[in-house]
Amino acid sequence: MKKTGAVSDPCSRLKWDIFLSSQRNKRHNFTERLYEALIKKQVRVWNIDAKSGSHELGPSLVEAMEDSVAFIVVLSPDYAKSHGCLEELAKLCDLKSSLAHRMLPIFYEVEPWHFRKQSPFEKDFEEHSKRFGEEEIQRWRGAMNLVGNISGFVYRYMNPPIYLQHLVKDRENPIEITNRK
């Protein structure tokens, strides 16, 4: 991919600066606040309508992923309960590799090691194994391991507006990928 000054370079063929992925219908409003902060900085953000609650990987969802410069994935304690979340994460990881897209994980009230080791999610995978094959489950586990090994942000009960200021620096660099431990 050709390097440009701004993420939202109008010459770019990509439609979105950021594909924002998170578990829908969550008790917290962190993702909505992040979305609003990015929009305020004039970042082109693709964010599924939270009301739809759908994680189906239809053509429009995959197209939005492919047409994004980078992915922000908000990972939470109940993330692995949803096979849709896991399928979306696996697809994002595939695209990260094949299209060299950047990915920033935000570990919302979870630790990166939870996704590397996956022990907190064993019950979820036991439930999924009743409906899905071993190959699919291994694909999801691989995606969780990959994202758990990417430097990202760990959110632990900070004041959301202050935390979001660390994430959304300026128009030229809407996400600064650093390790916040």
Side-chain angles (χ1 to χ4, degrees), residues 95-108:
L95 293 173
K96 178 190 180 316
S97 298
S98 66
L99 299 177
H101 284 22
R102 292 177 287 158
M103 181 182 285
L104 174 68
I106 299 174
F107 300 94
Y108 181 85

Side-chain angles (χ1 to χ4, degrees), residues 22-54:
S22 69
Q23 184 179 16
R24 310 323 175 238
N25 301 323
K26 211 37 203 131
R27 295 180 316 275
H28 63 81
N29 62 359
F30 177 81
T31 303
E32 290 77 21
R33 287 181 170 192
L34 174 59
Y35 174 78
E36 290 167 7
L38 290 166
I39 293 297
K40 192 180 241 185
K41 293 288 186 178
Q42 299 179 343
V43 176
R44 299 173 301 166
V45 181
W46 191 94
N47 184 25
I48 195 165
D49 180 2
K51 293 177 184 142
S52 75
S54 174

Side-chain angles (χ1 to χ4, degrees), residues 34-96:
L34 174 59
Y35 174 78
E36 290 167 7
L38 290 166
I39 293 297
K40 192 180 241 185
K41 293 288 186 178
Q42 299 179 343
V43 176
R44 299 173 301 166
V45 181
W46 191 94
N47 184 25
I48 195 165
D49 180 2
K51 293 177 184 142
S52 75
S54 174
H55 270 277
E56 295 302 316
L57 283 181
S60 62
L61 184 63
V62 173
E63 182 179 311
M65 291 174 182
E66 292 172 344
D67 282 343
S68 298
V69 175
F71 310 133
I72 296 178
V73 183
V74 181
L75 304 153
S76 58
D78 293 334
Y79 194 84
K81 286 187 184 337
S82 165
H83 78 276
C85 286
L86 295 170
E87 186 60 36
E88 185 174 300
L89 180 64
K91 183 63 177 176
L92 290 172
C93 289
D94 291 346
L95 293 173
K96 178 190 180 316

Side-chain angles (χ1 to χ4, degrees), residues 103-129:
M103 181 182 285
L104 174 68
I106 299 174
F107 300 94
Y108 181 85
E109 298 179 359
V110 292
E111 298 292 331
W113 72 265
H114 292 157
F115 285 80
R116 288 191 299 267
K117 303 291 183 193
Q118 301 169 18
S119 52
F121 305 112
E122 286 307 318
K123 287 184 181 179
D124 300 325
F125 281 112
E126 284 176 29
E127 284 299 311
H128 291 314
S129 70

